[in-house]
Every structure is written in structure tokens, then in C-alpha cells.
Amino acid sequence: MTQYEPEPSGWAVGGVLFAGAIMIMVGIFQGIAGIAAIADDAFYVVTPNYVFDLDPTAWGWIHLLLGILVALAGFFLIAGRVWAGMVAIALATLSAVANFFLIPYYPFWSILIIALDVWVIWAVTRPGVYRAPA
């Protein structure tokens, strides 16, 4: 007796492809933001009395490395790798947390990236997107 396995929804597959494209775009943008902070410490305006007082160069390296990883995970997500879904969830979570700490420096940008990261997590966790190989 064979078990019927329904085809994944077109909406779910499209959502994952869009999530992969968003991850590539967010990764590139985070990399650019990281390079800007590494190249010029004065690029980001540091607010006084902020609890998490890190050097902008340190934030730059964090965002550059995270951006590279997020973009790579986006490529693998589009390629249909099942493990890329788990990596995408983990990296989108890290990206959202990193951008939460960046809110005092670039509030609109940080909130936009957090919203996109939450959307990526939502899209990747939709049921019926990934199936076990036959």
C-alpha cells in the first residue's frame, strides 16, 4: 500500500522562493552596511547612554559576516535544499536579533530588516513546502 503524498502548494513554494530572494537581498544589504561601518566609524551616529555600547567597527564585522551567511543560505533555499530551511530560520533569527541591537543607530532600516526576517521565518515554516526525498 502506497501512501499518498500531496504536492506542495504553489503558494508555499512561491513563498519559499520569495523568502530565498529576500534573504539574498537582506544579506547583500547587511554586508554593505557592515562594510560602511568597518570603513568609517563615524558613519553611524552613536547614541549616548545606550545599554549595548559596542564599537561601530565591531557591529560592522558582525553585519558583514552575518550578511554573507544570510545571502548564501538564500541561494541554497532557492536551490531547494531541505537543510537550508533550518539554516534560514536560524540565520533570520540571528539577523533579527542583530538588527534589534542596531535600532538606535538606524531605526527605520533595522525595523524593516527585522520585519523581512520575520516574514522569511514565516514563509519557510509553512507546511507542505518540504518533502522527504523518494
Side-chain angles (χ1 to χ4, degrees):
M1 181 173 171
T2 50
Q3 186 177 12
Y4 173 71
E5 214 174 297
E7 286 293 317
S9 159
W11 284 97
V13 173
V16 169
L17 290 176
F18 185 68
I22 290 293
M23 287 186 71
I24 293 169
M25 185 178 63
V26 166
I28 291 170
F29 287 160
Q30 279 196 12
I32 292 170
I35 291 171
I38 293 167
D40 183 13
D41 270 353
F43 181 77
Y44 292 104
V45 178
V46 180
T47 56
N49 302 324
Y50 184 48
V51 175
F52 305 104
D53 188 23
L54 284 177
D55 182 48
T57 304
W59 280 117
W61 281 108
I62 290 169
H63 280 274
L64 178 61
L65 295 175
L66 190 58
I68 292 169
L69 291 175
V70 168
L72 283 173
F75 280 115
F76 285 111
L77 194 62
I78 289 174
R81 305 285 191 252
V82 176
W83 59 265
M86 299 303 271
V87 172
I89 293 169
L91 288 176
T93 302
L94 284 175
S95 173
V97 169
N99 279 286
F100 174 78
F101 291 123
L102 194 67
I103 286 176
Y105 303 104
Y106 259 42
F108 179 75
W109 174 257
S110 297
I111 292 170
L112 175 67
I113 298 299
I114 290 169
L116 290 172
D117 287 334
V118 168
W119 194 90
V120 165
I121 293 168
W122 177 85
V124 172
T125 57
R126 295 299 85 214
V129 174
Y130 298 107
R131 294 185 309 176

